[in-house]
C-alpha cells in the first residue's frame, strides 16, 4: 500500500498565535484551473482568511490566490469565495459548535495530497491578550532553557 504523498503549500502561522485550535478537518476546495496552477506555485495567502457556513455549505473567505501569470482571461477574482467540500455530518457538527460563543472556522494549511488540493480547517476559539502574552513568555522560557542546556552540555 502506498503512503499518502503530502506537499505543504501554505500555512497560517498567525492562526496558532491568535487562536486555541480545538479540532481540525481535512476538506477539499472547489477551484478553477488557473487557481490550481497558481496554488501549485505557492501563490496563496491565508493570513486573514476564515470560513463561514451558509445554506448548509462551507465557504472560505478572504483567501488570496494570486492570478496565474499565463491565465489571462481565465483568471478569477483573487479574493472570491470558494466552496469547501465536507461531509454533511461534519458540516452539521460544525454548525452546532459555531453557535457556541467564541468559536470560529480558520484555515490553517493548504496542501497537495495525492494530486488533490486540500485545506485543513480548524475549529478555533479566540485568545485573549493575556493568553497571547502567556504563550510568548512560555516560548521564551523554553528557548532560554534549551540555550542553557546547550551551553551546559558543551
Amino acid at each position: 500500500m502506498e503512503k499518502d504523498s503530502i506537499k505543504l503549500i501554505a500555512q497560517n502561522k498567525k492562526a496558532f498565535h491568535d487562536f486555541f485550535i480545538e479540532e481540525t478537518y481535512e476538506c477539499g476546495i472547489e477551484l478553477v484551473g488557473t487557481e490550481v496552477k497558481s496554488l501549485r506555485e505557492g501563490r496563496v495567502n491565508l493570513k486573514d482568511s476564515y470560513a463561514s457556513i451558509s445554506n448548509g455549505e462551507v465557504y472560505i473567505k478572504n483567501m488570496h490566490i494570486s492570478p496565474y501569470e499565463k491565465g489571462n482571461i481565465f483568471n478569477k477574482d483573487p479574493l472570491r469565495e470558494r466552496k469547501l467540500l465536507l461531509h454533511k455530518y461534519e458540516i452539521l457538527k460544525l454548525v452546532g459548535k459555531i453557535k457556541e460563543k467564541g468559536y470560529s472556522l480558520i484555515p490553517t494549511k493548504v496542501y497537495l495530497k495525492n494530486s488533490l488540493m486540500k485545506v485543513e480547517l480548524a475549529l478555533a476559539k479566540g485568545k485573549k491578550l493575556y493568553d497571547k502574552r502567556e504563550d510568548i513568555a512560555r516560548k521564551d522560557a523554553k528557548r532560554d532553557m534549551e540555550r542553557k542546556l546547550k551551553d551546559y552540555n558543551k
Side-chain angles (χ1 to χ4, degrees), residues 41-131:
E41 291 178 352
R43 299 174 51 135
V44 60
N45 185 355
L46 293 173
K47 193 178 271 185
D48 296 323
S49 60
Y50 63 96
S52 67
I53 301 173
S54 61
N55 299 328
E57 294 181 338
V58 183
Y59 292 94
I60 192 166
K61 299 178 180 183
N62 279 356
M63 182 170 127
H64 188 278
I65 298 177
S66 299
Y68 184 60
E69 290 171 3
K70 300 174 187 116
N72 56 43
I73 61 166
F74 299 107
N75 282 328
K76 300 285 185 204
D77 178 31
L79 287 172
R80 75 181 182 92
E81 284 185 7
R82 294 167 183 91
K83 187 175 169 182
L84 294 178
L85 310 171
L86 283 158
H87 290 282
K88 199 67 164 176
Y89 68 89
E90 290 175 322
I91 295 173
L92 293 173
K93 186 178 176 183
L94 288 173
V95 167
K97 286 283 192 175
I98 289 213
K99 286 183 179 173
E100 291 180 36
K101 189 178 177 207
Y103 280 103
S104 304
L105 289 174
I106 309 294
T108 54
K109 291 179 191 170
V110 175
Y111 54 94
L112 203 59
K113 181 178 180 183
N114 296 333
S115 77
L116 295 173
M117 271 311 152
K118 299 286 184 180
V119 175
E120 185 179 81
L121 195 63
L123 184 66
K125 195 166 197 157
K127 284 185 181 177
K128 303 278 190 254
L129 185 61
Y130 57 84
D131 291 327

